[in-house]
Amino acid sequence: MLAAPAHAATLNEQVALRAALRVEARASGRTALQPLADAPASATRDLARIGRSDRRVHVLVGLRSRTAATGVRRKLARLGARTRTFDSIAVLYADAPSGAALADALRGDRRVAYVERDRRLRAAADPFNAIDPQTGINFIWAYDAVHAGEAIAAAGGGSQREVAVIDTGLDTGHPDIAPNVGATFDTLTGTTDVTDRNGHGTFVAGLIAAVPDNNIGGKGVAGNTKLVPIRASFDGSFSVADVIAGIQLAVRAHADVVNMSLAGSQIDATQIRALDAVFLADVLPVAASGNTGEDGNDRQFPAAAIGGVRGGRGTGLSVAATNPDGSVASFSTHNDRVSLAAPGASADCQVGVFSTIPRGSASEWDNPPPGTCPSRVFATPTGRFAYGQGTSFSAPIAAGIASLVWQVQPRLASEQVADVLRRSAHQTRPGGRWNEFTGAGIVDGKAATDLARAYDVRNPKARARARRRGAKKVAVRVSRVKDRTDPGHELAGHLKYSLLVSRDGGRRFAFAVRPRSHAFTKTVRLRGRRANVLVSTVCDGNGNCGVKRLGRFKARR
C-alpha cells in the first residue's frame, strides 16, 4: 500500500500510481483499490479528547482495511451508536451517545487506524454579499472578465462534462438554471430533495450554469453544462461527514468536476482519503481558498490540500477572489497553495458578482447578518437575482471554465485540466509571476481553451523487462524512451521513470522505485505467498503515463 496520502505524495507519484492501478484493473478484471491515508500524528490526542466526555459525539472512524467495516460497525451498534459507511475510503461515521464509551471500545482495536471528530466546515461566503446596482458596473462583469463567451463558443455552447456542486442545495425550478440541472442528491436525508433554504448553493450554481441569452437573468460561465446539485447543508455549516458523503456521491454519479465553496481551518485523515478517491477517479476538485485574509489569514481546507505549491501542479484548484479591476480581494485567503483567482468581490463592498438566488424568501440575501452590507435583491416575474462576495463565488467560475476546457480536449486528465487553467491565467499583479494572492493569475477562458487544443496528451511508450533471478528475486530493467506528442501539439518532455510492486496479486501497489529522471535497473525481492505484480511507468511533464505490466511472480521455496 502506498503509505503517503495524496496531499503529501508528489504529483508524479500520484499520477504513476493511478496509471498502474488502471492497467492492473483492466488486466485482472478486478477493482484496484486506492491506498488509504495513514493515521495522522494527532490521532492519539483526538481519541483522548473524545474519551474525556460522556456526552454525545459525532466521529469519523478510519479503518485499516475495507473488510473491517462490518465488525467495527457492530461494535459501535452495541454502544447505541448510529453509523454510516463510506466504503470507498473505509471510513465509518458514528453518532454515539457517549464519547468515553466510544473511546474505550475503539482504543487498541487493531482494525481502527484513527478516530477523529466530525468537524464543521463553513460556506466560504463573505458576509458582504449584496450591493447597490446603481454604481454603473455591468451585472455580468465576472462573465466578461474571464472571457467566458469565447470559451463557451470554443466548446460548442457548453460541456458534456458535468459539474457537481456540494453546497446548500439548489432552487431546481429557477428558470435561469432549470434546463441545466441533472441528477440531484441530498446527504442529509438520503433523498433527491435539494431545496435550498439558504441561497448559497443556488448562487454558486448560477455562476456556473445560468442559461445564457434566454432573456431571463444572468449568464453562467459554462453555458449549457449540466449540474449535479448535492445538498450537504441546510444553513451553510457543513460537517465533514456530509461533505465526504457528497464527494462520494459526485464520483459515483460520474461528475467530472466537483465544486466545494466551503472551507475549514483543519484537514483530517478522512478528508485526505476522500480527496485521494477524487484524484484516482480522475475527477477535478475546485475549492474556495477561503475568506480569512483580514482575519488571521489561516490556511483553509480543502483548498490548501489540492492547490499546487507555489504555482506548481496540484490535484485540483484553490481559487482566490478578485475585484473588477483585477486586484485581489482584501478578505481572500492568501498562501503558497493558491492556484489562481477569479472574480468574487468589489473593493468597496458595493459590487460583487451577479447570480441567481431562490425564488422564495428564505435566503441569506433576504435576511443578511447584522452589520453587513445591505443586500439588494432583483426580482423579476420569472426569478430572483442578487450580488454576492466571497471566494465561494470565485471557485464556481473556475469550475465552470474547467468543464469547457475538458470539452475542448476530452483526453485531458483531471490534474491536466487544472494545469491548463493555471498556465493560461492572466496575471494582474506586478512581476507577472505566481504570487500568494492571485496565484498564477485570473482565469482566462479563451486562453485556456486555446491551450487545451495544443496541450500534449499523448503517453510516452514504456520499455521495460523483468527476469526471474533465483527463487525470490526478479531483475527489472527500465529503458530510456523518447517523449512523443500529436502533430501540432506541444511536447511536454521531462520524463520520469518508476517501478511499482503489488504484494497481494495486484490490488494495492507501492513504489519499488519512485519517479526519477533516468532509466534504471532494480532487483526486487519477492515477498508473501501471493503473486507479486510488477508494473513500470514512464510519465511526461504533463502527467501522461506509459505503463507496462511486467508480470506476476511468486516466491519459490
Side-chain angles (χ1 to χ4, degrees):
M1 181 183 294
L2 182 67
H7 78 294
T10 68
L11 186 58
N12 286 332
E13 292 170 1
Q14 291 171 259
V15 168
L17 173 66
R18 183 176 64 189
L21 289 172
R22 288 179 175 174
V23 166
E24 180 56 30
R26 288 194 294 268
S28 65
R30 298 191 306 249
T31 299
L33 301 176
Q34 71 170 92
L36 299 174
D38 284 344
S42 60
T44 302
R45 294 194 301 273
D46 275 2
L47 188 58
R49 284 193 290 267
I50 292 167
R52 294 191 191 112
S53 173
D54 283 324
R55 300 179 65 181
R56 179 171 293 276
V57 292
H58 303 269
V59 300
L60 295 161
V61 182
L63 306 175
R64 297 191 186 279
S65 71
R66 293 167 176 82
T67 58
T70 301
V72 176
R73 191 169 58 244
R74 288 172 180 166
K75 177 183 277 192
L76 292 171
R78 289 195 291 270
L79 301 177
R82 293 176 298 166
T83 60
R84 272 196 286 173
T85 305
F86 305 112
D87 50 8
S88 67
I89 57 174
V91 169
L92 297 176
Y93 164 81
D95 174 1
S98 167
L102 181 138
D104 286 343
L106 298 186
R107 188 180 291 112
D109 191 325
R110 295 182 179 274
R111 298 169 296 183
V112 175
Y114 62 84
V115 181
E116 58 193 17
R117 288 187 181 277
D118 181 18
R119 307 183 198 279
R120 306 297 295 185
L121 309 180
R122 62 185 179 279
D126 195 276
F128 301 101
N129 58 13
I131 60 157
D132 184 352
Q134 297 178 358
T135 56
I137 194 167
N138 191 321
F139 282 106
I140 60 168
W141 68 269
Y143 178 94
D144 295 331
V146 298
H147 301 117
E150 294 94 325
I152 292 171
S159 178
Q160 295 180 8
R161 300 284 183 159
E162 296 187 350
V163 181
V165 177
I166 300 175
D167 217 291
T168 62
L170 175 64
D171 177 4
T172 57
H174 196 296
D176 213 19
I177 306 176
N180 286 334
V181 177
T184 62
F185 302 94
D186 179 34
T187 69
L188 305 168
T189 64
T191 68
T192 59
D193 179 14
V194 293
T195 302
D196 188 3
R197 305 175 185 177
N198 175 271
H200 190 271
T202 300
F203 197 96
V204 166
L207 289 166
I208 299 170
V211 179
D213 304 320
N214 61 355
N215 297 316
I216 292 178
K219 291 184 178 184
V221 298
N224 294 314
T225 295
K226 289 294 183 185
L227 297 170
V228 179
I230 299 174
R231 186 171 65 178
S233 169
F234 290 131
D235 60 5
S237 176
F238 301 80
S239 77
V240 171
D242 285 318
V243 172
I244 63 174
I247 290 172
Q248 186 165 274
L249 285 168
V251 172
R252 290 179 175 174
H254 305 294
D256 300 284
V257 181
V258 177
N259 186 85
M260 293 178 284
S261 290
L262 45 90
S265 58
Q266 297 184 58
I267 183 73
D268 301 315
T270 300
Q271 293 181 65
I272 293 168
R273 287 189 179 188
L275 294 173
D276 285 351
V278 167
F279 172 79
L280 292 173
D282 202 21
V283 176
L284 175 65
V286 180
S289 72
N291 300 324
T292 65
E294 296 178 313
D295 186 23
N297 196 42
D298 291 338
R299 185 173 287 187
Q300 299 291 286
F301 297 93
I306 59 178
V309 180
R310 298 187 63 81
R313 296 169 71 232
T315 58
L317 293 170
S318 168
V319 188
T322 53
N323 297 304
D325 64 359
S327 62
V328 69
S330 58
F331 58 77
S332 187
T333 303
H334 47 93
N335 52 54
D336 63 355
R337 300 301 179 97
V338 172
S339 307
L340 41 70
S346 70
D348 62 1
C349 100
Q350 291 299 300
V351 181
V353 291
F354 186 76
S355 189
T356 49
I357 60 173
R359 291 165 297 164
S361 59
S363 80
E364 286 190 348
W365 278 263
D366 302 288
N367 300 291
T372 66
C373 287
S375 178
R376 181 76 177 272
V377 173
F378 302 84
T380 72
T382 52
R384 298 202 308 158
F385 306 86
Y387 285 101
Q389 292 195 96
T391 57
S392 269
F393 308 140
S394 305
I397 291 174
I401 297 296
S403 70
L404 299 176
V405 164
W406 227 335
Q407 178 69 18
V408 169
Q409 178 45 273
R411 292 164 61 190
L412 290 166
S414 59
E415 76 282 358
Q416 291 176 333
V417 175
D419 189 41
V420 167
L421 265 71
R422 180 186 61 83
R423 286 177 50 189
S424 59
H426 68 271
Q427 186 57 266
T428 56
R429 288 180 66 84
R433 298 181 179 179
W434 177 92
N435 65 81
E436 65 182 40
F437 297 97
T438 60
I442 298 175
V443 173
D444 187 326
K446 182 182 186 307
T449 51
D450 286 347
L451 176 58
R453 289 193 180 98
Y455 197 86
D456 181 0
V457 290
R458 190 174 183 186
N459 298 337
K461 188 174 182 178
R463 290 180 56 209
R465 63 181 183 179
R467 293 183 178 179
R468 181 179 286 276
R469 291 286 186 265
K472 296 185 177 181
K473 293 181 180 179
V474 173
V476 176
R477 182 181 183 86
V478 174
S479 300
R480 184 172 178 269
V481 299
K482 289 184 177 181
D483 196 13
R484 55 184 186 171
T485 190
D486 295 331
H489 287 211
E490 66 178 15
L491 181 67
H494 302 288
L495 298 181
K496 298 286 186 181
Y497 304 84
S498 66
L499 178 65
L500 295 103
V501 59
S502 169
R503 308 291 187 182
D504 60 1
R507 291 177 65 79
R508 298 171 180 83
F509 282 83
F511 281 99
V513 177
R514 295 187 178 277
R516 57 180 61 180
S517 57
H518 53 84
F520 58 85
T521 59
K522 174 71 174 179
T523 299
V524 178
R525 181 175 290 275
L526 303 176
R527 296 175 184 167
R529 296 182 178 181
R530 302 185 66 180
N532 288 214
V533 179
L534 297 176
V535 174
S536 71
T537 69
V538 54
C539 304
D540 68 17
N542 281 357
N544 303 304
C545 295
V547 183
K548 187 167 184 180
R549 191 171 184 266
L550 301 177
R552 299 165 63 89
F553 303 88
K554 273 191 174 184
R556 297 170 181 166
R557 295 186 178 182

